[in-house]
Amino acid sequence: MTGMGRRRQTAIFMDGLMGRRQKVPAAPKMLEQNALSAMGANAAAYIAGSAGMEQTAAANRAAFDRYPILQRMLNNVAERDLTTTLPWCRLPLPLLLAPIGVLEMAHRQADLAAARAATSAGVPFVTSSQSSFPMEEIARACGAGERWFQLYWSSSNELTESFVTRAERAGYGAIVVTLDTTQLGWRPRDLDGGYLPFLRGRGIANYLSDPVFQELIKESSDRQPLPLPGPGALRSALELLRSWPQGARRAVFSGKTLSAIRRFIATYSRPDLAWDDLTFLRQRTRLPILLKGIVHPDDARQAVDAGVDGIIVSNHGGRQVDGALAALDALPGVAAAVNGRIPILFDSGIRTGADILKAKALGAAAVLIGRPYVYGLALAGERGVREVIDNLSADLDLTMALCGHGSFTALGRELLARSP
Ligand code: FNR
């Protein structure tokens, strides 16, 4: 790993010397701008948007500014080690790709492209319940690479069990239960565009390919035909036709399709989920279980008591609750409550190497990359995701060295000029 940052930097400058410009900008804001302008309006709104006035999303970023770094000198940082070890796996870089639903909005190859890029970089891919391809296909795209499965706990326990069993069989190495989305947040950008991808049959591949879900549709008495009153609805129907699995497209114009979508809306989440339900999951899988979306220290303590294997401190990139505490500001409290008993991972606002170091200093063993990798995907598919990972890890490597630290795992609060 040593020298990775400088190698990447040199490669980019050499490209520049040859007159080649990077398609995937290294500057985080430019990356976002370029990707959003390359996408359709609905996709840009869905990916960039957050809840309400988007204050949580803004707070996520602003929080990093409150923890300035204080560098050390003459510390011999020629050798750098970015590896991190979790109790059940070793990560060559302290990074994972966050679970992101409906990646087909950014690129046709969606999760497959992102999974290949993650694997080639040695970074675990976290497949979303709302992925654009069935989890088995994504697992194949990962090859021997580490992958975890993110679970939206369905209102049907049989469906939840089926997802977990499929994930285990497909070689996923952990189950990430997302707790902050028992229902969809209020997202004005999507509301004003009148656009929810799932209603167009996007991001529901795991459901359509699931035997339990297929039974649920059969049982459903709901058989309303697709209404086609005007050009807008026709466009929606064509979109549905494109995203529906091949071989089942004739069903699009029958009542079955709407029935499947209604079924999905009715079953995809469970607002009455409670701590006791975790026992159900624990009894059905041997895989490590991580809870994503924990921000309160008391919830963190309860998670440890419930016997889960890890916590992901996250507020879903500000997409769920507006006016909430920045995820980074929640990290020290959760870390104190957990007191090293289980690993803590972090996401929501990570854009640079310095951000990753700050999250580590405040208690995270590793971080998940969210929107930035989707932007890379939108700009250049698999290669674009790989470049985002390479740029972020090069930045991390160089910044860690420049701060006077050679070991990522050893890094603690001493990195920061101020304590929380
Ligand atoms: C998400 N996120 C998410 N989380 C999850 O557990 N399951 C999911 O299906 C999704 N889907 C999803 C779609 C889109 C478009 C975004 C932007 C995010 C949340 C994601 O895992 C992560 O928590 C955030 O992306 C982190 O915030 P930043 O870094 O993207 O701002």
Side-chain angles (χ1 to χ4, degrees):
M1 286 294 160
T2 295
M4 178 226 313
R6 199 166 58 186
R7 275 198 301 282
R8 175 85 187 139
Q9 206 176 32
T10 308
I12 293 174
F13 286 137
M14 289 310 285
D15 275 351
L17 196 63
M18 301 299 158
R20 285 192 293 268
R21 283 200 55 203
Q22 304 296 312
K23 208 170 165 188
V24 177
K29 283 191 183 141
M30 191 66 78
L31 171 68
E32 175 174 344
Q33 274 166 23
N34 290 6
L36 294 179
S37 43
M39 286 178 208
N42 289 330
Y46 183 71
I47 294 163
S50 287
M53 296 284 285
E54 309 198 337
Q55 281 173 347
T56 304
N60 281 345
R61 282 300 313 149
F64 286 96
D65 298 340
R66 284 196 295 279
Y67 295 107
I69 289 172
L70 195 57
Q71 312 92 303
R72 301 300 305 269
M73 299 296 139
L74 295 174
N75 223 7
N76 184 4
V77 288
E79 297 287 327
R80 267 108 59 192
D81 181 4
L82 292 175
T83 56
T84 290
T85 309
L86 302 177
W88 61 93
C89 74
R90 183 184 162 276
L91 308 179
L93 294 167
L95 303 175
L96 301 94
L97 294 196
I100 303 264
V102 212
L103 283 174
E104 68 205 89
M105 296 189 80
H107 192 274
R108 287 177 83 81
Q109 283 288 299
D111 320 80
L112 302 183
R116 283 188 203 111
T119 297
S120 71
V123 166
F125 183 72
V126 188
T127 295
S128 163
S129 274
Q130 305 318 137
S131 55
S132 295
F133 289 89
M135 63 178 99
E136 292 80 2
E137 267 186 68
I138 300 169
R140 279 196 290 279
C142 289
E146 178 77 16
R147 63 268 192 177
W148 300 355
F149 180 73
Q150 176 268 323
L151 177 73
Y152 277 136
W153 197 305
S154 163
S155 62
S156 154
N157 264 355
E158 293 77 49
L159 187 57
T160 299
E161 183 169 1
S162 178
F163 271 21
V164 171
T165 310
R166 286 172 62 188
E168 237 180 72
R169 279 200 200 119
Y172 284 88
I175 302 289
V176 173
V177 189
T178 298
L179 303 178
D180 56 21
T181 311
T182 47
Q183 39 222 325
L184 208 62
W186 183 257
R187 300 180 192 155
R189 292 202 217 191
D190 294 336
L191 292 162
D192 290 342
Y195 191 88
L196 185 65
F198 315 116
L199 296 186
R200 325 261 167 149
R202 292 171 182 263
I204 60 173
N206 283 323
Y207 299 79
L208 296 177
S209 58
D210 192 278
V212 172
F213 187 76
Q214 286 159 5
E215 279 306 309
L216 287 174
I217 307 173
K218 270 195 216 147
E219 284 164 17
S220 164
S221 54
D222 176 9
R223 280 282 186 281
Q224 289 176 36
L226 192 67
L228 292 174
L234 188 60
R235 254 197 315 277
S236 305
L238 288 173
E239 202 179 326
L240 200 54
L241 192 64
R242 269 200 304 274
S243 55
W244 214 248
Q246 280 181 9
R249 289 187 172 165
R250 275 199 358 226
V252 167
F253 290 99
S254 76
K256 271 192 194 155
T257 314
L258 271 196
S259 163
I261 290 170
R262 286 209 185 91
R263 245 308 146 182
F264 163 74
I265 299 290
T267 50
Y268 100 96
S269 73
R270 234 192 92 179
D272 64 346
L273 198 66
W275 285 103
D276 288 349
D277 292 305
L278 291 176
T279 318
F280 174 89
L281 191 60
R282 186 71 293 167
Q283 285 166 350
R284 275 156 188 84
T285 183
R286 287 171 292 106
L287 295 178
I289 297 172
L290 293 96
L291 301 183
K292 178 170 181 272
I294 296 279
V295 284
H296 196 294
D298 289 348
D299 286 347
R301 259 180 230 107
Q302 200 151 354
V304 176
D305 293 345
V308 302
D309 303 276
I311 282 176
I312 303 179
V313 171
S314 162
N315 58 28
H316 216 104
R319 293 163 72 78
Q320 288 299 96
V321 176
D322 199 23
L325 184 69
L328 192 73
D329 287 331
L331 188 53
V334 170
V338 168
N339 196 17
R341 289 175 289 171
I342 54 173
I344 299 170
L345 276 60
F346 173 85
D347 77 30
S348 296
I350 294 288
R351 301 292 180 268
T352 69
D355 297 343
I356 301 170
L357 294 174
K358 291 178 186 183
K360 172 71 177 81
L362 295 174
V367 303
L368 289 80
I369 315 171
R371 290 178 178 98
Y373 95 75
V374 188
Y375 297 146
L377 180 68
L379 288 173
E382 176 184 339
R383 195 180 156 161
V385 178
R386 179 65 204 260
E387 289 190 10
V388 168
I389 298 171
D390 288 353
N391 287 346
L392 201 49
S393 32
D395 179 3
L396 171 65
D397 177 47
L398 289 173
T399 308
M400 189 171 85
L402 291 169
C403 291
H405 292 271
S407 160
F408 185 79
T409 32
L411 201 145
R413 293 263 168 106
E414 72 286 352
L415 174 85
L416 304 174
R418 291 182 208 127
S419 274

